[in-house]
């Protein structure tokens, strides 16, 4: 009997060791990274009726050797590399005003290297080649519709549908793209709030720089700005519902959000993560991210980047971009953009893994 008692713990220890040995590869696999492939896509834009360009980033068995030069961007992905088969979670990234489908390539490649399919798009009427619709209903209501069209295309396209789990879809966005992500989540804006914001921040040229032009246009119509914005409010559903029930999580970076009031998030029922720069001069946190922080009942997390301005959420610039857009490439003293992005990417990954049930 004493001999049997001493053998039981020994057998238990043996099985625990074997179990840990068997589970070790699984644990390692969860933290391993893969190569990343990138492929161009074309999306039919429901707003303009024209095609718009985007990219899909995806896990690949082919390791990445250096970067691929795509315009002014150095992207850590291999063009049309073979995809690792199997359905994966999808994240769609929405760029800011005047941005591009490669404007957040580092977040896209990071998520793809950790098992996600990531899609981007150019928002026609509000991207680097054409910002003619900024401030109009085509952008304010159209942006989330363009994201929805991107999701629909991917879920029906023969090349991509087998790689995507339709029950695990998230969105991420920066600035106007953050606004887009909140709209996709179910948020509803009040456009007339633009007036109070521009009264308070008259020197904010990015948001209020064309106020005089809009007021002049309204006057020609015999209307006030309030009347014009109220009419736009009535057109919010012009292109369909701006929310997308297929989307299960939203990661909003420095979102344009002063136009959401206390009821703006009544219909948001999915997790939302907010990120912002402490010294954002384009979308001041007290009127945007911090303004909506107590209003989002499903807030899963919020983080402030100390001392950072608005543009910290764009990836560290290549030499070419540094020459083209120096204001957007330079940060205040004490801000390390590369270090900030390492944290942003890690937080986004952790958020989407948790909310999209990725193990």
């Amino acid at each position: 009997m004493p001999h049997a008692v001493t053998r039981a713990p020994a057998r238990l220890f043996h099985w625990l060791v074997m179990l840990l040995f068997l589970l070790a590869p699984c644990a390692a696999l969860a933290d391993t990274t893969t190569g990343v492939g990138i492929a161009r896509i074309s999306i039919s834009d429901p707003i303009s009726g024209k095609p718009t360009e985007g990219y899909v980033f995806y896990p690949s068995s082919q390791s990445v050797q250096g970067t691929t030069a795509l315009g002014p961007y150095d992207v850590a992905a291999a063009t049309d590399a073979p995809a690792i088969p199997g359905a994966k979670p999808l994240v769609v990234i929405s760029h800011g005003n005047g941005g591009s489908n490669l404007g957040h390539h580092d977040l896209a490649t990071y998520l793809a290297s950790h098992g996600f399919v990531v899609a981007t798009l150019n928002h026609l009427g509000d991207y680097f080649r054409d910002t003619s619709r900024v401030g109009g209903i085509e952008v304010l209501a159209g942006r989330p519709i363009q994201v929805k069209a991107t999701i629909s295309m991917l879920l029906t396209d023969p090349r991509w549908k087998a790689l995507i789990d339709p029950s695990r879809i998230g969105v991420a966005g920066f600035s106007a793209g953050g606004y887009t992500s909140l709209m996709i989540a179910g948020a509803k804006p009040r456009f007339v709030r633009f007036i109070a914001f521009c009264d308070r921040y008259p020197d904010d040229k990015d948001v209020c720089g064309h106020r005089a032009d809009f007021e002049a246009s309204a006057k020609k119509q015999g209307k006030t700005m309030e009347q014009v914005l109220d009419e736009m409010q009535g057109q919010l559903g012009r292109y369909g519902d701006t929310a997308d029930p297929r989307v299960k999580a939203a990661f909003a970076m420095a979102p344009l959000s002063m136009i959401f009031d206390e009821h703006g998030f009544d219909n948001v029922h999915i997790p939302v993560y907010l990120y912002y720069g402490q010294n954002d001069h384009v979308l001041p946190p007290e009127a945007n991210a911090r303004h909506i922080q107590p209003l989002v009942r499903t807030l899963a997390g919020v983080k402030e980047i100390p001392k950072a301005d608005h543009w910290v959420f764009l990836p560290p610039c290549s030499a070419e971009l540094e020459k083209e857009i120096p204001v957007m490439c330079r940060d205040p003293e004490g801000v390390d953009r590369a270090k900030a992005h390492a944290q942003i990417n890690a937080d986004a990954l952790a958020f989407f893994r948790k909310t999209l049930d990725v193990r």
Side-chain angles (χ1 to χ4, degrees):
M1 188 70 171
H3 181 65
V5 171
T6 57
R7 288 183 61 189
R11 287 198 300 269
L12 179 60
F13 178 79
H14 171 76
W15 283 111
L16 285 173
V17 170
M18 289 299 294
L19 182 62
L20 289 172
F21 177 80
L22 291 171
L23 289 178
C26 298
L29 183 62
D31 292 326
T32 57
T33 59
T34 69
V36 177
I38 182 173
R40 293 179 183 270
I41 57 173
S42 179
I43 306 128
S44 179
D45 174 24
I47 310 306
S48 66
K50 300 175 181 178
T52 187
E53 294 182 341
Y55 286 94
V56 174
F57 302 75
Y58 53 89
S60 173
S61 55
Q62 177 180 319
S63 61
V64 177
Q65 303 297 324
T67 59
T68 299
L70 295 170
Y73 301 100
D74 298 322
V75 183
T79 304
D80 291 318
I84 295 175
K88 305 161 185 68
L90 167 69
V91 173
V92 181
I93 300 177
S94 174
H95 65 72
N97 285 139
S100 87
N101 53 23
L102 287 173
H104 300 279
H105 63 84
D106 69 327
L107 175 59
T109 56
Y110 187 83
L111 291 175
S113 73
H114 288 81
F116 288 74
V117 172
V118 181
T120 66
L121 69 153
N122 283 330
H123 287 284
L124 296 190
D126 185 14
Y127 77 121
F128 71 103
R129 293 189 190 279
D130 175 22
T131 56
S132 62
R133 300 299 182 182
V134 172
I137 197 65
E138 298 89 349
V139 166
L140 290 170
R143 272 176 155 269
I145 302 299
Q146 292 167 333
V147 170
K148 292 175 69 172
T150 303
I151 295 171
S152 295
M153 185 280 288
L154 294 170
L155 294 181
T156 57
D157 185 275
R159 179 176 182 182
W160 303 116
K161 64 181 182 179
L163 292 179
I164 297 170
D165 181 346
S167 68
R168 294 188 293 170
I169 300 175
V171 292
F174 162 63
S175 195
Y179 161 85
T180 304
S181 298
L182 296 173
M183 294 279 279
I184 286 283
K188 298 297 181 185
R190 288 290 301 164
F191 297 140
V192 74
R193 288 176 61 87
F194 273 122
I195 296 174
F197 176 82
C198 291
D199 286 344
R200 183 178 177 185
Y201 300 95
D203 297 326
D204 188 330
K205 301 304 180 185
D206 293 273
V207 177
C208 307
H210 294 284
R211 178 177 184 172
D213 296 333
F214 282 110
E215 287 178 338
S217 176
K219 190 174 182 179
K220 284 182 180 179
Q221 301 174 54
K223 301 173 183 176
T224 64
M225 276 297 295
E226 288 86 350
Q227 289 172 322
V228 170
L229 290 171
D230 281 341
E231 288 179 1
M232 285 179 59
Q233 190 71 38
Q235 298 181 63
L236 185 59
R238 176 175 173 179
Y239 307 106
D241 191 354
T242 54
D244 192 334
R246 297 172 298 183
V247 172
K248 302 299 191 293
F251 190 83
M253 298 171 282
L256 177 137
S257 44
M258 83 288 288
I259 52 176
F260 297 108
D261 64 15
E262 64 273 17
H263 295 295
F265 297 90
D266 289 353
N267 295 319
V268 174
H269 306 295
I270 65 172
V272 173
Y273 199 108
L274 289 177
Y275 234 114
Y276 65 92
Q278 179 184 15
N279 296 328
D280 191 327
H281 291 92
V282 175
L283 296 173
E286 65 274 11
N288 289 277
R290 288 206 299 267
H291 157 65
I292 66 170
Q293 182 178 343
L295 305 178
V296 183
R297 299 185 184 92
T298 56
L299 192 65
V302 59
K303 187 164 289 188
E304 174 188 272
I305 304 176
K307 302 180 182 179
D309 204 341
H310 190 66
W311 309 112
V312 71
F313 292 98
L314 297 178
C317 293
S318 64
E320 185 176 347
L321 277 176
E322 177 76 32
K323 292 179 181 178
E324 289 183 9
I325 50 172
V327 172
M328 298 182 186
C329 291
R330 297 170 187 167
D331 298 294
E333 186 176 350
V335 177
D336 184 331
R337 190 176 296 198
K339 185 177 179 180
H341 274 250
Q343 188 63 59
I344 293 166
N345 295 345
D347 288 338
L349 176 64
F351 171 70
F352 284 123
R353 275 180 166 170
K354 182 176 181 179
T355 56
L356 301 182
D357 195 25
V358 179
R359 295 184 174 89

